[in-house]
Amino acid sequence: MIPLSTRMRPSTLDEFVGQEHFIYEGSLLYNSIKNKTFDSAIFFGPSGTGKTTLARIIAREMDGNYTEINASTTGTKELKGLIDDAKLKFYGLENKATYVYIDEFHRWNKLQQDSLLKALEEGVIKFIGSTTENPYFAINNAIISRVRNIYEFKRLDDSCIKKILIRALTDTEKGLGNLNVKYDEEAIDILAELSNGDARVSLDTLGFIVDNLDLSKPITKEIVAEAMQRKIGFYDKGDDRYNLLSALQKSIRGSDPDAAIHYFARLVDGGADIQMIGRRLMVMASEDVGMAYPSAISIVTSCVQAALMVGYPEASINLAQAVVLLASAPKSNASYMAFEEALNDIRHRKIDDIPAHLKDTHYKGAKDMGLGEGYKYPHAYGGYVKQQYLPDNLFKEGKRYYRPTSNGSEASFKKFLEGLEKIYGNN
C-alpha cells in the first residue's frame, strides 16, 4: 500500500504548505518558477519539511527534463551517464536543460560533487541538491559558488501540520475523505504537535491509525498517544508546556534548584521532548548565568547532547544535572545586556565608520589607502596596549556596553578590566 505521505504529496505551488519565509505568491522564488527562470538551488533542512516535494513541483512547472537520484545509492559512473544523456538533449533537437534533483547530496565526496561543475557551467543541467546538513560545511565551495540560491527549510509549525492533516482527512481523491473518518479536534492538534514539524511523520502516523482503527469510533488523543508511543500528560493534567518552561527558567534565574527541578519533572512527565527542554537550558546558560560561570554553556551543551544520545528515560538524568547546575550557579546577564544595548545603538543611531587602523589589510592596495596604519599588535606589548577600538563618536562618548557584575567568575574579569582602566585610564 502506498504511504499516505506519498499519496498526499502536493503537485502544485498552490498546494505546497510551509516555508513561507522564502516561498509565497510574489516571492522571488515563486516568480522564478512561474516565469520559468528558475536556475539551480540547494535545499537544506530537516526531513519531512518539503524539500523533495518542492523540487518535483519545480520540475513540473519548468519546460525541461527531470531526473531524480539519491547520492547514497548513485555513484560517479551513473552520474557521468546522466550528464552525457543531458548533453544529448541539450545540444540535440530538444534543446532543453535537464533538471537533476540529488537527494542527500552531502553523501557524495569532493570528487563526486566536482563532477557536476562543468555541466553546471555549460548549462547542460540545472541542479537541485537536497541535504539535511549545513551546505556551507557539507558541500564543496566550488558547487556553492555556482549555485546562486540556498534555501533553508525549517520544521513546519503546528498550524501547517494541522492543515496538512485536515486536507488528508477530507481529500476524496488522494486522501481519506471517502472513509468519513471521525476525529476529535484535540487529537489532531496533539498529532500535529507530536510530529515535531515533520509532515511525513504526521501523515504516515495518521495513515497507520486509520488503517487499524474501527472507523465507527473517532480518533482520540489516547489513540494518537498509542500510535506515537508518547506521553500526553500536558493534556490530561492541564499543564501548559510554555508556562512550565517559563516557570523553569524563572526558578533557575532565581537560584532555586528545588523549584527548578520540580518544573523540570513536570515537563518530563507531561511528555516534553529532549530538544524542547534542551534548547531552553542552553539559552539560559548564556542568558542568565553567562560570565558569572562561563563553563556553564559547555557543561549544559554536553548534558543535552548526552540526553539526545541516550534518549528517555535515562535522558532525564542528564537534563536534571543541567537544571541543578544552572540553578545553583552564580548569575549574570551582563553579556546579554551588552549585546542588546549595542544592537539598539546600531539600529537607532548613526554610527561612525570602523577606525582605519582596524580595517583589513590582507589585499592589494589596502596599504595605499592607509588601512591598518598605526595599528598596535597587543601581544607585542605584553598582551595589552592602549588604542582606540570603537568608532569615533562612540569612543569620544566613552561608550560602555559591558558592565561586569561581581558575581562568580565574572568578578575576576571585572577586576582585570578595572585594572587596565586604572593603569591606562578611560578609553
Side-chain angles (χ1 to χ4, degrees):
M1 183 179 290
I2 300 173
L4 183 59
S5 60
T6 301
R7 283 157 38 203
M8 290 303 300
R9 196 183 289 273
S11 56
T12 68
L13 281 176
D14 293 335
E15 293 178 355
F16 188 80
V17 176
Q19 313 309 332
E20 289 90 352
H21 55 290
F22 64 75
I23 182 75
Y24 54 88
E25 189 171 353
S27 70
L28 292 176
L29 176 57
Y30 182 95
N31 290 343
S32 73
I33 298 168
K34 288 297 184 181
N35 296 335
K36 304 189 186 304
T37 58
F38 177 86
D39 193 16
S40 295
I42 292 171
F43 296 163
F44 81 99
S47 299
T49 52
K51 299 186 296 295
T52 302
T53 296
L54 185 56
R56 290 178 179 176
I57 290 172
I58 290 170
R60 290 189 188 97
E61 293 277 350
M62 308 302 291
D63 291 328
N65 302 294
Y66 178 70
T67 301
E68 185 175 317
I69 59 176
N70 190 298
S72 63
T73 57
T74 304
T76 307
K77 182 180 178 181
E78 293 89 344
L79 179 63
K80 184 179 183 301
L82 187 156
I83 291 173
D84 289 342
D85 184 55
K87 284 181 179 178
L88 287 173
K89 292 175 179 176
F90 185 72
Y91 293 113
L93 293 175
E94 289 187 44
N95 194 26
K96 288 182 179 180
T98 297
Y99 285 85
V100 181
Y101 175 66
I102 306 177
D103 195 12
E104 298 188 81
F105 186 64
H106 60 277
R107 292 183 180 273
W108 273 352
N109 59 34
K110 184 178 186 301
L111 182 63
Q112 289 172 308
Q113 291 186 22
D114 285 350
S115 62
L116 281 172
L117 292 177
K118 188 176 180 182
L120 281 171
E121 289 172 351
E122 293 175 348
V124 169
I125 65 170
K126 306 293 184 183
F127 161 70
I128 303 176
S130 171
T131 174
T132 55
E133 306 289 331
N134 187 326
Y136 295 102
F137 296 105
I139 296 178
N140 295 348
N141 288 334
I143 296 288
I144 295 286
S145 68
R146 288 165 176 80
V147 178
R148 181 171 62 249
N149 298 309
I150 298 176
Y151 296 100
E152 179 181 3
F153 284 64
K154 298 179 180 179
R155 293 189 183 278
L156 299 175
D157 62 33
D158 295 346
S159 63
C160 287
I161 295 289
K162 184 176 180 179
K163 183 177 180 180
I164 291 168
L165 290 171
I166 296 297
R167 178 187 290 171
L169 286 164
T170 56
D171 190 313
T172 56
E173 293 183 13
K174 299 185 292 183
L176 307 167
N178 292 319
L179 299 177
N180 296 315
V181 179
K182 303 180 186 69
Y183 59 89
D184 295 340
E185 192 81 17
E186 185 182 35
I188 301 303
D189 289 336
I190 294 172
L191 177 54
E193 290 191 32
L194 294 183
S195 298
N196 197 27
D198 189 321
R200 185 182 296 110
V201 167
S202 69
L203 285 169
D204 288 342
T205 302
L206 178 62
F208 171 73
I209 291 171
V210 173
D211 286 344
N212 298 282
L213 180 70
D214 178 352
L215 293 180
S216 65
K217 299 177 181 178
I219 300 174
T220 63
K221 63 182 182 181
E222 289 77 18
I223 289 173
V224 170
E226 180 184 348
M228 298 290 283
Q229 287 296 289
R230 290 278 299 278
K231 288 185 176 182
I232 54 169
F234 290 119
Y235 302 93
D236 292 331
K237 300 178 181 178
D239 277 343
D240 182 288
R241 69 197 63 195
Y242 300 108
N243 284 336
L244 288 174
L245 286 169
S246 176
L248 172 65
Q249 181 161 8
K250 288 169 182 171
S251 298
I252 285 175
R253 188 180 292 149
S255 298
D256 188 333
D258 300 305
I261 207 72
H262 169 81
Y263 292 117
F264 165 69
R266 281 170 67 173
L267 279 162
V268 173
D269 187 59
D273 61 45
I274 295 169
Q275 289 183 327
M276 176 190 292
I277 299 171
R279 282 194 295 264
R280 184 64 68 100
L281 293 177
M282 288 191 285
V283 169
M284 283 187 263
S286 292
E287 180 184 349
D288 295 308
V289 175
M291 293 296 289
Y293 184 39
S295 298
I297 183 62
S298 299
I299 298 171
V300 169
T301 299
S302 295
C303 287
V304 173
Q305 289 174 339
L308 289 167
M309 288 179 67
V310 303
Y312 281 134
E314 290 86 354
S316 58
I317 301 170
N318 306 116
L319 296 176
Q321 178 185 348
V323 168
V324 171
L325 177 132
L326 289 173
S328 305
K331 307 294 189 296
S332 171
N333 72 343
S335 57
Y336 172 52
M337 289 295 99
F339 165 73
E340 287 287 302
E341 190 175 339
L343 190 63
N344 185 67
D345 276 355
I346 291 165
R347 289 178 173 174
H348 299 101
R349 292 187 56 181
K350 183 181 183 302
I351 305 294
D352 289 346
D353 194 15
I354 299 169
H357 63 280
L358 298 183
K359 290 186 177 180
D360 182 33
T361 59
H362 293 89
Y363 61 92
K364 188 176 181 181
K367 186 172 289 187
D368 295 336
M369 298 167 64
L371 303 185
E373 189 175 325
Y375 172 67
K376 298 175 182 177
Y377 186 57
H379 299 292
Y381 295 84
Y384 180 83
V385 61
K386 184 179 178 181
Q387 64 184 325
Q388 177 185 341
Y389 292 100
L390 280 168
D392 288 344
N393 59 337
L394 298 180
F395 178 76
K396 289 171 184 174
E397 290 175 20
K399 187 69 178 182
R400 293 289 176 84
Y401 293 114
Y402 179 52
R403 301 177 182 87
T405 70
S406 297
N407 300 336
S409 298
E410 195 163 33
S412 60
F413 295 106
K414 180 180 182 182
K415 184 178 179 181
F416 170 73
L417 294 172
E418 288 177 346
L420 292 178
E421 185 177 311
K422 188 177 292 184
I423 296 171
Y424 297 98
N426 294 332
N427 297 328

